[in-house]
Amino acid sequence: MTETSGSSGTIQSEQTIENLLNRARASISKKEIKEAIGDILAAIDFCSCNKGNTKQVRHGKDKSCHLKQFVNGVRSKDLDAIYNVASSPCSCGFAWPSCSSPKHLEAIDLLTESLETEGHYVSAITTGLGIIRLRPISAAGYCRVAKTIRLILKLEKEGKKAKRVNPKVARTLATLEKDAGLTTARLYIFMKKLVQAGLNNTSEKYRNDAHDEYDQILMRMAHSLKLQDSLRDPAAKLPLELLRQIFSHLDTSDVIRSLRVSKKWNRIIKHDTLLWEEVRLAQPRNPGNRVLATWLRGHQGVKSLTIDEVSGFGLSAKRLYMLLFGLPNLQCLIIKTAAPHRCDTIQELDPAPSPSQKLGLAQLSLDGYQAPVSLLVQLLDLSKDTLEVLDLVQTGSKPERAIEAVRMPKLRSLWVDIDMAGTSTEEHVLRMPEIVASTPNLEAFCLNGFQLEWTPGQPTPQGWRQLKHASFGPAMGIEAHTQGTILLPRIFPPITESMEKIEIMTMNPVIAHNYLFTVMDGAEARHPLHSQEMGLEFDEGKLPKLPNLELFRSRCAIDVGLLGRLLAVPAAREGSLRVLELPVEQRWAVRQRHLWCPVVGLESIVVPAEAFVWMESEKIEHLGLYFFNYAGFAFQYGQRFNGQPFLDWLDKFPALNSVSVYPDWPGEGVMPFIGKLILHPRVKKIFQDSLRTGYEWDEACLLAVQRSVDLYHCDFNVPYGPSLFKNW
């Protein structure tokens, strides 16, 4: 009972102190300093260190003895002298209170501020020294006294400059000289040494608690006073290996700035060859050829060079040549720009490389940088024996022609994404046999913005036997010069068992069915549905087997039965499949018998728990659905949305933790659906495009925070390609 009442009494006391201090702050803002001081002293009396619950016993009005003690302590060469002074009684015998309560310290700090505002500078200094007495390991007292002394010296200097005497300042300086022997010059020295003592007393030597804002202020004061302790190297005590590890996490521009910190840092950074193996320049300015040549000579060990925005770099044919051949160990070159119109167009390197010159590039990535076919062919030919990763994103021209022209036997990853602004897929025709022949050992590809072409007599490409990742972007089309009703032969190499991830983000189902299900029986093309309709035999043993498939995403219509044959065994049932995204409304499935043969009605809406029974798996972690609304016919805009069948489906997957939902015209009712997803016990991440702004979005975000669920708004064209592969 006693313990409980004591605890409640402490809480009540702290609340009273807080109320009094708030009232004091309000009085200070109104320039009612006397009222503020009265409230502050009352707050101090309520502190828990005052056991008798009466007025605190205070030092007399004359505090010259108190001030002299600190002045003598500062004059001592002992760094611990001020700590010892603060911890001992006053020379007059008065025992200063010691208290660790933040409120007590805050109250005296506010009292010092009030006295300073009123112009009682001597009292402000002695009260600030009282804060040091109260808690010598806190930086607050040292900061407050130093601030008051700095104000006095500033006002005195301004008065001299204006040839006008400030009475309060003059009286203060006279009192300090009389009571403690502090002339103007000595007062400045006293301030410096007190700050120096503060750095010593607030270090880990005396305290092990967290530092606060006053510690930062004290360090800034020490730095402005040019104290030696403030200029010390914070990493001086770290081993060289750990310091290098810290530098390795910095951006290159930060590393360059670190060269100017000290001679020691400059020496460590310059001689750390590992640190300069990867150079990343954010937005470099034009360095000039002479400066660039000097930099290249001093950084021969660079293996990776990334320029995040090259538009201001002035990349010319000569400068690109300097980068490529001035860094003999360069293995990775990444050039990006969001402003291609500000970059010079380079037709070929200058000077032209000799036949004996070769590059050792393992990765070449151009993002937004406009590179003509002639330059691409030159770069690929110079690196054809070593290149493993090739990314050409919005590079203009016709990058597919450059890839067809150079055989790259070691290429493992190919990402080619065409900028569709002002163009169409017809302008970029991709001939798969030539692409496969140029990249026989490819393991991952991502294609977007192309028209796939097939002509009669074109053979099925052979190769890519180690392919693991296949991604078709949303802007992929197909052009087939067929005769009559002949089934389109397979235009891709056969899918192998090594496949791990498949993304079909195009809405064109011809590409999906040709890639996934069309097989070759000699010179004859076979498709399961086509064979069934035509009364032909189909060997299902020729359908691809995907025991290692981890990710399958498709936005275009795929026959449910065929999908079951492809994914159920062994990917889903035996546990390799982790990510699955499908469309459940098959309205885009228009019959084109000579290309493929899905038999799907315009109003066919798949109920996943019924149609995808074979998909139930203990390992699937992410589910996604496109084009679904179980409220009725999907073309009726503004209808009430119903997503309950999707919610029912989630219960079939015990390992589920994230979902992506892209309904078809969600209409009214989508907010309750998103709310149910947030409340689902397994869902921890939600990707959707139905809620973006407004009241419903705010409500959903609030609920998500309460349930520790990450809610994202992602546009319908969700990310695809290599970045997604890495994320998953």
Side-chain angles (χ1 to χ4, degrees), residues 697-710:
W697 168 252
D698 294 339
E699 287 292 302
C701 289
L702 180 60
L703 181 61
V705 170
Q706 294 172 351
R707 299 284 296 183
S708 299
V709 173
D710 296 327

Side-chain angles (χ1 to χ4, degrees), residues 39-111:
D39 287 333
I40 294 169
L41 294 176
I44 294 173
D45 291 337
F46 273 99
C47 182
S48 56
C49 66
N50 187 16
K51 304 296 184 182
N53 291 325
T54 58
K55 287 188 177 182
Q56 289 269 14
V57 178
R58 297 185 176 92
H59 194 287
K61 191 172 182 180
D62 180 11
K63 295 187 177 66
S64 58
C65 53
H66 166 53
L67 178 59
K68 284 178 184 177
Q69 254 191 311
F70 274 94
V71 172
N72 292 332
V74 161
R75 288 173 179 168
S76 170
K77 294 182 179 180
D78 184 6
L79 291 176
D80 299 321
I82 293 297
Y83 184 86
N84 295 331
V85 168
S87 304
S88 60
C90 184
S91 57
C92 68
F94 176 75
W96 288 87
S98 176
C99 182
S100 60
S101 170
K103 292 297 179 185
H104 194 156
L105 190 146
E106 183 181 345
I108 300 183
D109 188 32
L110 193 60
L111 178 60

Side-chain angles (χ1 to χ4, degrees), residues 286-354:
N286 192 331
N289 289 342
R290 185 176 298 178
V291 173
L292 180 60
T294 303
W295 185 86
L296 292 173
R297 285 194 298 270
H299 298 85
Q300 296 285 290
V302 173
K303 294 183 178 180
S304 174
L305 175 61
T306 299
I307 305 178
D308 285 328
E309 180 50 72
V310 77
S311 58
F313 186 70
L315 189 63
S316 60
K318 182 176 182 179
R319 195 161 291 177
L320 181 57
Y321 180 93
M322 292 172 65
L323 289 176
L324 292 171
F325 293 100
L327 299 172
N329 296 303
L330 189 64
Q331 298 176 7
C332 173
L333 178 62
I334 302 174
I335 298 176
K336 304 177 183 179
T337 181
H341 58 282
R342 294 174 53 195
C343 301
D344 296 333
T345 300
I346 303 173
Q347 296 297 332
E348 291 185 349
L349 294 175
D350 180 24
S354 65

Side-chain angles (χ1 to χ4, degrees), residues 82 129 131 169 183 216 260 287 292 314 326 401 601 642 723:
I82 293 297
L129 294 174
I131 300 177
V169 173
T183 61
Q216 299 174 15
R260 301 193 291 266
L292 180 60
R401 301 289 85 88
N642 177 18
S723 58

Side-chain angles (χ1 to χ4, degrees), residues 267-493:
R267 184 173 60 255
I268 293 172
I269 293 172
K270 277 189 174 180
H271 291 84
D272 188 354
T273 55
L274 292 177
L275 193 61
W276 292 103
E277 285 188 355
E278 295 186 15
V279 174
R280 187 184 192 99
L281 305 175
Q283 291 181 319
R285 292 176 292 182
N286 192 331
N289 289 342
R290 185 176 298 178
V291 173
L292 180 60
T294 303
W295 185 86
L296 292 173
R297 285 194 298 270
H299 298 85
Q300 296 285 290
V302 173
K303 294 183 178 180
S304 174
L305 175 61
T306 299
I307 305 178
D308 285 328
E309 180 50 72
V310 77
S311 58
F313 186 70
L315 189 63
S316 60
K318 182 176 182 179
R319 195 161 291 177
L320 181 57
Y321 180 93
M322 292 172 65
L323 289 176
L324 292 171
F325 293 100
L327 299 172
N329 296 303
L330 189 64
Q331 298 176 7
C332 173
L333 178 62
I334 302 174
I335 298 176
K336 304 177 183 179
T337 181
H341 58 282
R342 294 174 53 195
C343 301
D344 296 333
T345 300
I346 303 173
Q347 296 297 332
E348 291 185 349
L349 294 175
D350 180 24
S354 65
S356 62
Q357 284 184 297
K358 294 293 180 184
L359 295 175
L361 288 180
Q363 177 176 350
L364 175 62
S365 299
L366 303 179
D367 188 348
Y369 183 73
Q370 303 295 295
V373 175
S374 55
L375 177 62
L376 287 178
V377 170
Q378 200 173 37
L379 293 176
L380 296 182
D381 188 60
L382 288 168
S383 309
K384 62 184 179 182
D385 296 328
T386 57
L387 199 61
E388 298 181 12
V389 178
L390 178 60
D391 302 329
L392 302 175
V393 180
Q394 299 182 11
T395 56
S397 189
K398 293 182 179 291
E400 66 274 16
R401 301 289 85 88
I403 298 170
E404 294 171 1
V406 181
R407 190 175 190 275
M408 296 166 282
K410 290 189 176 182
L411 196 69
R412 297 182 295 104
S413 174
L414 175 65
W415 183 15
V416 189
D417 196 336
I418 300 299
D419 185 2
M420 298 304 296
T423 66
S424 64
T425 54
E426 286 78 6
E427 296 182 30
H428 299 277
V429 177
L430 200 64
R431 298 186 287 263
M432 289 305 299
E434 286 82 350
I435 295 294
V436 175
S438 297
T439 60
N441 299 308
L442 206 65
E443 295 181 11
F445 75 79
C446 174
L447 304 174
N448 188 45
F450 293 102
Q451 187 84 352
L452 296 168
E453 184 183 55
W454 181 86
T455 55
Q458 175 179 305
T460 298
Q462 298 297 320
W464 292 359
R465 300 186 185 281
Q466 299 173 342
L467 195 69
K468 298 178 181 178
H469 306 163
S471 179
F472 300 93
M476 289 293 292
I478 192 165
E479 181 179 355
H481 305 286
T482 59
Q483 299 173 349
T485 59
I486 184 173
L487 182 69
L488 177 67
R490 184 172 183 83
I491 59 177
F492 303 98

